[in-house]
Amino acid sequence: MKNLISKFWAIGLIFLISFNSLYSIDNHLLELKANTSFTFFQLLNQDRVLFEDSVEISDKKISVQDTVIPINSVSLISSNSQFIDKFLIDRKNFFSPIHLINWQTNSFLLDLGLPSNFYDFSLFQADNRSTSFLINNYELNDPLTNIIDLRDLRFDEFESIEIIFPTRSFLLSRYNNPATIVFNEWKRYSSIPYSRIKYIEAPYENLFFDGMFNVNLTKKINFEFGITKHNALGRFINSEKDLWAGKLKSTYYLSNQLNFNLTYRYSKSLARFNEGINLNNPLLEPGEPVENILYDNQRALVINDDAYHKWTNHRINFQTLFKLSDFSLTQMDFYFNQSLREFRDNEHKADSLRVFKNYWSKFLGFELKENANFSFNQLELHLRFEKSLIESPVNDFTFLKKIDYQLMGYAFYELNLFERIKPSFYVKYTGINKIEDIFFSYGTDLTFKISNKVNFILGYSDFDQILSYDEKLFSAITGLKNIRTRIFSGRFSYSTDNLKFNLESYYREAKVPSFVYSDYRSIEYNGSIIKPYPELEKLFGGKFDVQYSFWKVNSTFSVLFNDRIQNFNETTFHRIIQPRFQSRFEVYYRDLLFKSSLDLIAGFRVNIFSSFSARSFSPSNLYFVDVRTYNDTLFNFASIRIPSNFTIDLFASGRVKENAIVYISIENLLDRKFYLVPYYPANDIQFRFGIAWEFYD
């Protein structure tokens, strides 16, 4: 009965919002028709029918008909997001933007310390498989596993990184994930050619190169090209990472009301998996702790010297932006994605069981989004249709091939009252194939701007998080398809010229529709994953930030807290798989030197984390689990406690005459010896150097 009421409530709200928006837009169009007469083709041929006849630039009047004004996509969902801007991306962290995101948000990065192995990035305790990653409005997650390899992205093409407010995250996700990150694409319109070259060098032959070029081929056609090469051999046997990635993009500005974008992205990576240091080591003395040899390249023997995978992605997107007027923007996208992951183990060993697994996923989609802004009302309507083809090995003898159709859409309505109070309401429909796989979700939040210095946000959402294809396969015994999830989240901020104070918190409750008891530990067994789904799971946490600047010195202090409680058949388990407490401290000095030709930043950062329960990484399934085979025996890695620890980094970056950025860092300055995943030694002390050079000719 409760679900039925929720469905009627959601349908009613969509109808009410749609009717209100159409009525208001129609009134605006009637007003326009009274003063303006035009046809559709006249609209395309004129640059600005609904605007003034000219604009003033540098005391000269230039006809708007000769001025190209690019159309930018907008999203109401971003109105209360946290942003990481271009300055932070370019100047504060040359190591990896993933580490930068981790530093700026309430998250934890499980870094194995090897260039080839996966990160398990946990945002608001939502891991890789529960976090959606998008470029603009295009979702990158592979539909088979609901993950991507973040190291395969070209981060230099992004203008900013956006952390969606938790209660709104499910709206942009294919599987209604509770966390979402959007990478906003860098855009440029200029007849002056622009090129950028970036080079980074780090220990263990870790080399990175990125190049990009952008120019207007004609007044109405812009062209962009980018390429990335990353190669790192790693410290141990079978730990290499190799990547080629590229991008081609062309934009056609037919008029100031109609733009077209065609984008192709390609990536192909090789990642080798050695599964960490082997404890059954003849070079390890009896009773000697394994920590003694973790960083000894001569004595440390790895478990696997042959496993690897190759991951190839092709992404094509054709976008149309149509701006009828100042209060209306229509966006249409046609896209195609093909992903092939080839996993191999014991490929060159005649006396071992050889593993050859190919994971295919292809999907073709259409997306339509309408933004309307009228008076104090703002509306965003979104519709997405996808056809997915999944091919995946179940085991050595069974192969799964599945075709699915997904239809999803949401309505987002925001009321702007005097620029002080902004209540928002949103609903979403998701349908997969059969009529019983239909999910309704909804949420609301309130933004209250008390003054120019004080801002407060409070939100709630209720939605079904849908399992990915491989997770459905793992839980085939229970038939579980979705997890009902509720999120409460709030954020309070206070800012002045020199002081910024921020406090945010979240509470997430996940409940399975029909509970089937299972072991509370996740287990990798016979090439598959047995994953526990508690009857009820509660995840909660918060983050406290203080930023203070004085003279030319800037400082940031953060305290993070995260915890979770799981209930299995009325039995409560209180176990955390990431630090409950983290503390971060950063101080840097910024000044203009040498007659303002050098913009210098130099400082240090400290990261402290508490102990937590360990897990192990499964290369074949790209999963972190509690129990898996170790030296031919099932071993419970959750029995290992990762001790608390800390790291200190030094960094400096300088922009030279607006053309070049030079970056130097010393990471893990005190050369701390530890691991976050048994038994993968974290990076020891490392010196990193990078340079990015821009050319305008």
Side-chain angles (χ1 to χ4, degrees):
M1 183 66 181
K2 183 179 178 181
N3 291 335
L4 187 61
I5 294 174
S6 299
K7 292 178 182 179
F8 277 112
W9 184 90
I11 294 173
L13 184 56
I14 290 177
F15 176 80
L16 178 62
I17 293 173
S18 302
F19 178 81
N20 183 29
S21 64
L22 291 174
Y23 176 79
S24 301
I25 292 175
D26 189 55
N27 284 341
H28 278 275
L29 289 175
L30 287 175
E31 293 175 7
L32 287 171
K33 287 179 180 179
N35 301 306
T36 309
S37 177
F38 56 87
T39 67
F40 177 77
F41 293 100
Q42 288 174 334
L43 184 64
L44 298 184
N45 292 325
Q46 295 184 25
D47 284 293
R48 299 190 73 179
V49 174
L50 305 178
F51 300 89
E52 299 294 333
D53 292 332
S54 62
V55 293
E56 191 168 315
I57 301 176
S58 302
D59 298 326
K60 295 181 180 180
K61 284 195 173 183
I62 301 174
S63 172
V64 176
Q65 190 168 354
D66 297 327
T67 304
V68 174
I69 303 177
I71 302 174
N72 294 318
S73 177
V74 297
S75 174
L76 287 180
I77 297 175
S78 304
S79 60
N80 61 4
S81 298
Q82 176 187 352
F83 284 89
I84 299 173
D85 59 22
K86 190 67 171 173
F87 171 79
L88 292 175
I89 296 174
D90 286 345
R91 301 295 304 276
K92 295 290 290 295
N93 200 324
F94 257 40
F95 177 34
S96 166
I98 305 166
H99 290 76
L100 178 61
I101 297 171
N102 178 59
W103 183 263
Q104 297 289 332
T105 60
N106 186 2
S107 57
F108 183 70
L109 184 63
L110 205 59
D111 187 349
L112 303 186
L114 299 176
S116 60
N117 280 284
F118 267 62
Y119 297 128
D120 189 20
F121 176 74
S122 177
L123 176 64
F124 308 120
Q125 294 194 72
D127 62 10
N128 281 355
R129 290 174 177 264
S130 297
T131 302
S132 291
F133 297 91
L134 295 87
I135 295 180
N136 300 331
N137 64 310
Y138 177 69
E139 189 166 2
L140 300 172
N141 295 51
D142 175 36
L144 172 61
T145 58
N146 196 25
I147 63 174
I148 63 168
D149 189 344
L150 296 173
R151 301 160 307 162
D152 290 355
L153 297 179
R154 292 188 59 253
F155 281 97
D156 280 71
E157 67 164 302
F158 302 139
E159 180 72 22
S160 64
I161 302 172
E162 179 183 347
I163 316 301
I164 301 296
F165 190 67
T167 60
R168 300 182 179 185
S169 291
F170 73 94
L171 292 171
L172 299 177
S173 170
R174 179 182 294 111
Y175 292 133
N176 294 344
N177 286 332
T180 297
I181 295 176
V182 179
F183 303 106
N184 293 310
E185 190 179 23
W186 176 84
K187 297 178 181 179
R188 182 176 184 269
Y189 176 84
S190 176
S191 59
I192 301 174
Y194 170 85
S195 54
R196 188 174 192 261
I197 296 175
K198 183 176 182 180
Y199 174 80
I200 303 174
E201 184 172 336
Y204 309 112
E205 300 186 53
N206 191 339
L207 303 176
F208 175 91
F209 170 83
D210 183 90
M212 63 186 304
F213 175 76
N214 183 288
V215 68
N216 284 2
L217 299 179
T218 69
K219 182 179 178 180
K220 291 182 177 290
I221 299 178
N222 179 266
F223 172 77
E224 181 182 331
F225 167 76
I227 188 170
T228 294
K229 171 63 175 176
H230 182 202
N231 181 258
L233 295 181
R235 186 166 62 242
F236 299 102
I237 295 174
N238 205 42
S239 60
E240 179 187 1
K241 169 70 176 182
D242 186 78
L243 166 70
W244 280 102
K247 172 188 176 183
L248 288 172
K249 181 180 179 181
S250 180
T251 302
Y252 179 40
Y253 304 99
L254 179 62
S255 71
N256 288 344
Q257 284 74 42
L258 188 60
N259 290 180
F260 299 100
N261 295 304
L262 178 61
T263 308
Y264 169 69
R265 289 183 174 89
Y266 167 83
S267 67
K268 184 171 185 178
S269 62
L270 166 69
R272 297 190 178 276
F273 305 110
N274 62 29
E275 301 192 55
I277 304 304
N278 197 338
L279 293 183
N280 292 350
N281 188 340
L283 302 178
L284 190 66
E285 299 294 336
E288 183 182 10
V290 68
E291 287 77 8
N292 286 7
I293 66 168
L294 282 183
Y295 293 85
D296 189 337
N297 292 4
Q298 303 299 321
R299 300 174 63 200
L301 304 179
V302 300
I303 295 176
N304 196 322
D305 60 1
D306 194 55
Y308 70 90
H309 83 192
K310 295 179 181 178
W311 201 339
T312 306
N313 279 284
H314 301 270
R315 297 185 174 97
I316 302 174
N317 183 58
F318 177 72
Q319 182 183 76
T320 301
L321 292 169
F322 179 49
K323 188 173 183 179
L324 176 65
S325 65
D326 274 343
F327 57 81
S328 176
L329 176 63
T330 302
Q331 177 178 320
M332 289 188 295
D333 290 85
F334 295 90
Y335 55 90
F336 171 77
N337 185 90
Q338 176 177 292
S339 171
L340 170 62
R341 189 171 77 90
E342 306 165 82
F343 178 77
R344 304 289 184 266
D345 196 4
N346 298 323
E347 183 179 19
H348 303 293
K349 296 180 180 179
D351 58 344
S352 301
L353 178 63
R354 298 182 181 181
V355 179
F356 292 80
K357 292 184 178 181
N358 292 338
Y359 302 85
W360 278 94
S361 68
K362 304 176 185 178
F363 60 90
L364 180 68
F366 166 75
E367 200 164 28
L368 176 64
K369 186 170 73 170
E370 176 69 29
N371 284 85
N373 184 355
F374 39 95
S375 185
F376 48 82
N377 300 276
Q378 291 181 303
L379 175 68
E380 182 169 298
L381 299 175
H382 176 272
L383 179 69
R384 180 198 290 179
F385 174 78
E386 285 185 352
K387 176 183 178 181
S388 301
L389 171 63
I390 306 296
E391 298 182 17
S392 173
V394 178
N395 51 47
D396 294 333
F397 308 100
T398 308
F399 196 80
L400 170 70
K401 183 175 182 179
K402 187 172 180 60
I403 298 177
D404 266 359
Y405 299 89
Q406 185 185 63
L407 178 66
M408 59 167 275
Y410 68 77
F412 186 100
Y413 175 73
E414 184 174 85
L415 191 62
N416 189 346
L417 301 176
F418 315 109
E419 298 295 332
R420 295 288 184 183
I421 302 175
K422 294 183 180 180
S424 300
F425 308 92
Y426 32 96
V427 293
K428 181 180 179 182
Y429 164 90
T430 305
I432 303 176
N433 280 347
K434 302 177 183 179
I435 192 169
E436 61 265 20
D437 292 338
I438 293 178
F439 309 100
F440 284 92
S441 309
Y442 59 91
T444 182
D445 57 68
L446 174 66
T447 301
F448 186 33
K449 190 176 182 180
I450 301 175
S451 67
N452 292 332
K453 297 180 180 180
V454 182
N455 193 50
F456 179 76
I457 305 171
L458 184 65
Y460 167 79
S461 59
D462 192 320
F463 57 92
D464 287 283
Q465 184 179 356
I466 304 169
L467 301 186
S468 61
Y469 287 98
D470 60 343
E471 287 185 305
K472 290 177 185 177
L473 186 63
F474 297 157
S475 60
I477 299 176
T478 64
L480 186 63
K481 297 179 180 179
N482 63 288
I483 302 173
R484 194 66 188 180
T485 304
R486 296 191 301 165
I487 294 181
F488 296 88
S489 186
R491 184 167 69 221
F492 173 81
S493 59
Y494 171 83
S495 62
T496 63
D497 292 339
N498 298 322
L499 177 66
K500 291 183 179 180
F501 170 88
N502 187 74
L503 178 64
E504 61 182 49
S505 63
Y506 71 92
Y507 171 84
R508 186 166 88 245
E509 187 177 280
K511 186 175 183 179
V512 296
S514 55
F515 173 68
V516 177
Y517 180 76
S518 64
D519 196 322
Y520 70 93
R521 298 167 298 183
S522 55
I523 302 173
E524 182 186 39
Y525 186 69
N526 288 338
S528 186
I529 301 291
I530 303 173
K531 181 180 178 180
Y533 292 98
E535 182 179 11
L536 180 65
E537 183 176 37
K538 300 176 182 179
L539 306 100
F540 48 92
K543 182 172 183 277
F544 167 76
D545 277 322
V546 175
Q547 299 179 42
Y548 181 71
S549 59
F550 171 73
W551 187 52
K552 300 176 182 180
V553 178
N554 299 270
S555 61
T556 303
F557 175 71
S558 304
V559 176
L560 293 75
F561 170 75
N562 294 280
D563 206 350
R564 73 170 185 172
I565 297 175
Q566 296 177 313
N567 292 326
F568 288 90
N569 199 22
E570 300 182 355
T571 302
T572 300
F573 291 90
H574 191 194
R575 183 172 67 94
I576 190 71
I577 55 177
Q578 72 174 61
R580 280 193 176 89
F581 297 97
Q582 297 180 71
S583 181
R584 301 165 181 169
F585 180 60
E586 179 184 78
V587 177
Y588 69 89
Y589 169 84
R590 185 179 185 186
D591 197 5
L592 293 175
L593 305 175
F594 306 110
K595 297 181 180 180
S596 300
S597 61
L598 174 63
D599 181 2
L600 175 68
I601 290 177
F604 69 92
R605 60 173 65 100
V606 181
N607 184 33
I608 306 171
F609 59 88
S610 62
S611 62
F612 59 96
S613 295
R615 289 182 298 163
S616 182
F617 175 64
S618 167
S620 60
N621 294 295
L622 303 182
Y623 230 96
F624 284 83
V625 295
D626 299 318
V627 180
R628 65 186 303 262
T629 302
Y630 186 84
N631 289 324
D632 300 323
T633 304
L634 280 178
F635 182 77
N636 181 15
F637 285 87
S639 62
I640 301 174
R641 193 75 179 174
I642 304 297
S644 58
N645 219 312
F646 72 94
T647 58
I648 300 176
D649 302 332
L650 300 181
F651 64 91
S653 69
R655 177 175 282 276
V656 183
K657 294 184 178 180
E658 299 297 325
N659 293 112
I661 298 176
V662 179
Y663 184 93
I664 300 173
S665 69
I666 302 177
E667 296 144 15
N668 193 5
L669 177 67
L670 301 182
D671 200 19
R672 304 285 296 178
K673 311 294 186 183
F674 64 98
Y675 55 85
L676 300 177
V677 178
Y679 289 96
Y680 294 85
N683 287 323
D684 53 1
I685 184 171
Q686 297 199 2
F687 175 83
R688 192 176 304 272
F689 167 79
I691 183 170
W693 203 288
E694 297 176 325
F695 304 90
Y696 293 89
D697 52 28

